[in-house]
C-alpha cells in the first residue's frame, strides 16, 4: 500500500488476492481484505462487469453501493470465454496468495481452473469458494442466492411475528455472513501456511451453512427436547423483558431489562416498585412466565412519554435501551461521529460523499479507504504491463476481445 513514515502499514499489506465474484458474497469478502491492505484484483467481464455496478441508487450511471463494495480494489477486465483471457488469469493466479470466487460449483472446472489445476501451478494458493450449498452434496449444482441460504439455514423461519408469514431482514444478510466466514477461513488458511509450513487449501463456504452457524441453540434444543423455535416478533424468546415499545411521539425504542438487577431498576424507573419487589419476578424464569403482564406495563409507560424522556429515564436507571435508528438518526449521532463511522471521500466528478467507516478498529494497523470502487477495467493496462505485456500486445488483446 501507499504508506509514509506516519502511516502504519496495513496488516494484509503484501497479500495478493484475486476476486472472481459478483454482487455480494465474494466481493464483500474481498472488500474486507482490501480495506486492511491486501492487493485485490477484481476480474470482471468486459461487457458490463459486476452487475452490482447498476444495483439500487445510481449516481451518474454507477451504483453508490459500488463505490463502497469495490473500494481499494483494482478492476481488470478479462473475457474468460477467450483462451488468452484464461491464460492471463492463470498467470495472475500462479503468483496469488488467495483466490475468492462465488461461481456455481463446476464453472471454474469447465474453464480449466479447478483446484487440482490451480494447485499444480501454485501449491500455496488459498482458494475460498462461496456457493449456495457448498462444493459437495446433492444440492451442489443448484443456484443458491442469499435468500435461499437464509431460508434453508434457519434464519427466515424464526423472523417475524407468529401470526404472519416469515419476513426477511432488510439486507442480504446471508451473503454478508458467508463473506465474513470466507474472510475468516482465508486468514486461518494463511496462518496455517505461515506458522505450520502447510500448503494452500480450499475454504468451502456454503451460504446455508454460514447462516446455520448463527442459529444459537436451535440444534441441541430440538435434539434433546423436540423443541422447534418459532417466530416471536420483537420479543427475545425465553428472556424477559426485552422488546420494542412505541413512545407517545411515535418513536420505536428497544428496552432490555433482562438481567435480575437491571429488571429491578427498570421497574422502579417506570413507577412499578410492586413489580420490582415481587419475589416471583426475581429470576428470568419467573419473569418469562409473566411476560404478557410485564410487557403491558412497560408498553403503557412508554406510550405515555416522548422518546427523549424515555431514553433519558433508561439512561439514568442504567437500563440498556436505544431508539431504533434510521440512517438519518445515524448521521446526527454523537457516537457514530466520535468513532469515525462516516468517512469523507470524493466521487470522480468531485462530488463529496460519505462512506461507512472501516470495521474492526485495529489500534496499530488500522484499515482505510485508499480509493473508491474503480471504473470498469480501470487497472487493466497497468496490471498487464506489470505482467510484462507491451502496449502493442495490450492493444492486440483488446482487438481480439480477450480483455
Amino acid at each position: 500500500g501507499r504508506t509514509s513514515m506516519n502511516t502504519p502499514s496495513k496488516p494484509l499489506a503484501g497479500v495478493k488476492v484475486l476476486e472472481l465474484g459478483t454482487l455480494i458474497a465474494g466481493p464483500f469478502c474481498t472488500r474486507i481484505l482490501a480495506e486492511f491492505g491486501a492487493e485485490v484484483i477484481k476480474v470482471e467481464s468486459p461487457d458490463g462487469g459486476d452487475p452490482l455496478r447498476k444495483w439500487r441508487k445510481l449516481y451518474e450511471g454507477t451504483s453508490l453501493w459500488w463505490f463502497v463494495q469495490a473500494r481499494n480494489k483494482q478492476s481488470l477486465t478479462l473475457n474468460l470465454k477467450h483462451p488468452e483471457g484464461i491464460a492471463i488469469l492463470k498467470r495472475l493466479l500462479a503468483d496469488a496468495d488467495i483466490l475468492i470466487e462465488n461461481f456455481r460449483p463446476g464453472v471454474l472446472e469447465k474453464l480449466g481452473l479447478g483446484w487440482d489445476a490451480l494447485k499444480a501451478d501454485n501449491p500455496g494458493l488459498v482458494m475460498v469458494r462461496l456457493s449456495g450449498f457448498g462444493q459437495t452434496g446433492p444440492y451442489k449444482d443448484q443456484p443458491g442466492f442469499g435468500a435461499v441460504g437464509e431460508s434453508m439455514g434457519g434464519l427466515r423461519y424464526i423472523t417475524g411475528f407468529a401470526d404472519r408469514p416469515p419476513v426477511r431482514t432488510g439486507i442480504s444478510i446471508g451473503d454478508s455472513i458467508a463473506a465474513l466466514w470466507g474472510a475468516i477461513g482465508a486468514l486461518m488458511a494463511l496462518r496455517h501456511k505461515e506458522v505450520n509450513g502447510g500448503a494452500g487449501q480450499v475454504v468451502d463456504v456454503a451460504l446455508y451453512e454460514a447462516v446455520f452457524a448463527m442459529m444459537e441453540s436451535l440444534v441441541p434444543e430440538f435434539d434433546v427436547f423436540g423443541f422447534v423455535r418459532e417466530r416471536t416478533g420483537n420479543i427475545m424468546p425465553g428472556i424477559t423483558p426485552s422488546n420494542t415499545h412505541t413512545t407517545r411521539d411515535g418513536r420505536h425504542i428497544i428496552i432490555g431489562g433482562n438481567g435480575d438487577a437491571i429488571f429491578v431498576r427498570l421497574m422502579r424507573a417506570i413507577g412499578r416498585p410492586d413489580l420490582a419487589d415481587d419475589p416471583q419476578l426475581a429470576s428470568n424464569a419467573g419473569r418469562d412466565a409473566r411476560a404478557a403482564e410485564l410487557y403491558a406495563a412497560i408498553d403503557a409507560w412508554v406510550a405515555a412519554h416522548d422518546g427523549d424522556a424515555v431514553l433519558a429515564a433508561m439512561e439514568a436507571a442504567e437500563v440498556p435501551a436505544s431508539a431504533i435508528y434510521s440512517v438519518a438518526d445515524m448521521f446526527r449521532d454523537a457516537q457514530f461521529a466520535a468513532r469515525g463511522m462516516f468517512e469523507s471521500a470524493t466521487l470522480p466528478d468531485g462530488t463529496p460523499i460519505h462512506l461507512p467507516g472501516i470495521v474492526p478498529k485495529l489500534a496499530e494497523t488500522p484499515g482505510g479507504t485508499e480509493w473508491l470502487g474503480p471504473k470498469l477495467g480501470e487497472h487493466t493496462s497497468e496490471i498487464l504491463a506489470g505482467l510484462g505485456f507491451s502496449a502493442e500486445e495490450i492493444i492486440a488483446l483488446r482487438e481480439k476481445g480477450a480483455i
Side-chain angles (χ1 to χ4, degrees), residues 46-67:
D47 53 357
D50 190 336
L52 189 91
R53 290 174 173 277
K54 300 290 179 200
W55 267 28
R56 303 236 166 92
K57 302 273 182 222
L58 307 187
Y59 177 83
E60 308 265 309
T62 298
S63 162
L64 288 169
W65 189 359
W66 169 258
F67 291 115

Side-chain angles (χ1 to χ4, degrees), residues 75-93:
S75 170
L76 166 71
T77 50
L78 289 181
N79 178 358
L80 298 185
K81 297 190 173 79
H82 194 289
E84 292 192 55
I86 294 283
I88 292 166
L89 181 55
K90 279 189 156 165
R91 279 175 67 174
L92 287 164
L93 284 168

